[in-house]
Amino acid sequence: MTTDYYDARRQFRRILALDWSLHAWDFAYGSVYALIGFFVFRRVGYSQVYDVIGPFFLVSGFMIYQTWHVCAPHTRCATAFYYFNLPHHRHIAFYAHLALLSLGGLWLVAVVLLGCALKLGGAGITAHYRIHPEMLVLPFVAVASTMAHVYLIRGWSYWAKAALLFIVACAWFVWKLNLMDDYPPHSSNNYWPEREMAFGAQLCIAGILLGGVCCLIEKVRTNWQRRQIGGIR
């Protein structure tokens, strides 16, 4: 074994190839959830506009499961000496897991967009499928949140912040649904409902969410790399 074996790029490729061999088919199965989402809570004939929300929620739920499945085995009951003796650096493994999950998330989002193009769940009478930008980034929010749950030390401070964020997320979703119901379809606009908020505002929310994802991932990476002493909890 030469020193090239420990080159960062080779380490990354080896770990990514291993993750791909173990989990690639899982994302193929996840495509089924993305497609099923078009038939969940649908109201065919109620409006000419189909708000694409259900598929992104099912995809996000799948990404939570998949992120746990990929990342959690690397944190179970191992000491710092175990990680020191691995033939790869811990933060390189972190990047490889993140790359696999990001690619998987992009694949499932693409499947949802394909379902929109095929007008799944519309029974052939839904004219328009409306994409909400903040829903589009929801699977990546799920990945970042789950990685934080896996890699961060879960003390009282962590649980308090997690509970607060969960309450805020639920309140935001209820508020969004209520706003959508405030603009019901009616005959004056040919039963074509308006967006619950301006598209530009939705793009801003999506950008804020993506920024939060990047900040959370960086925080998780930094804290995971610092956990070098004692057992991994």
Side-chain angles (χ1 to χ4, degrees), residues 72 74-81 83-84 89-90 147-155 158 219-233:
H74 296 265
T75 63
R76 293 177 179 173
C77 301
T79 65
F81 294 103
Y83 289 98
F84 289 154
H89 199 283
R90 291 169 69 184
M147 292 186 80
H149 182 73
V150 171
Y151 288 117
L152 295 180
I153 296 176
R154 298 189 288 273
Y158 167 83
K219 177 182 178 181
V220 173
R221 184 197 66 82
T222 302
N223 282 271
W224 175 239
Q225 192 172 359
R226 288 175 180 172
R227 289 169 62 182
Q228 298 286 348
I229 300 175
I232 302 300
R233 292 181 289 174

Side-chain angles (χ1 to χ4, degrees), residues 18-56:
L18 177 61
D19 285 346
W20 178 262
S21 66
L22 292 174
H23 306 293
W25 278 106
D26 294 342
F27 291 104
Y29 302 146
S31 303
V32 177
Y33 292 92
L35 299 177
I36 290 176
F38 285 96
F39 301 92
V40 177
F41 304 120
R42 64 173 182 161
R43 293 183 289 181
V44 177
Y46 174 77
S47 170
Q48 296 184 61
V49 175
Y50 181 98
D51 288 289
V52 185
I53 293 179
F56 287 114

Side-chain angles (χ1 to χ4, degrees), residues 208-223:
I208 292 172
L209 288 175
L210 280 179
V213 166
C214 295
C215 293
L216 183 58
I217 288 294
E218 177 60 22
K219 177 182 178 181
V220 173
R221 184 197 66 82
T222 302
N223 282 271

Side-chain angles (χ1 to χ4, degrees), residues 78-132:
T79 65
F81 294 103
Y82 168 80
Y83 289 98
F84 289 154
N85 287 292
L86 284 179
H88 60 253
H89 199 283
R90 291 169 69 184
H91 79 268
I92 295 179
F94 178 90
Y95 288 138
H97 300 331
L98 180 61
L100 176 74
L101 293 167
S102 298
L103 291 173
L106 288 172
W107 161 255
L108 294 179
V109 167
V111 172
V112 174
L113 295 179
L114 177 62
C116 294
L118 297 176
K119 297 187 181 299
L120 295 181
I125 61 176
T126 302
H128 178 69
Y129 278 57
R130 177 174 291 162
I131 301 295
H132 298 265

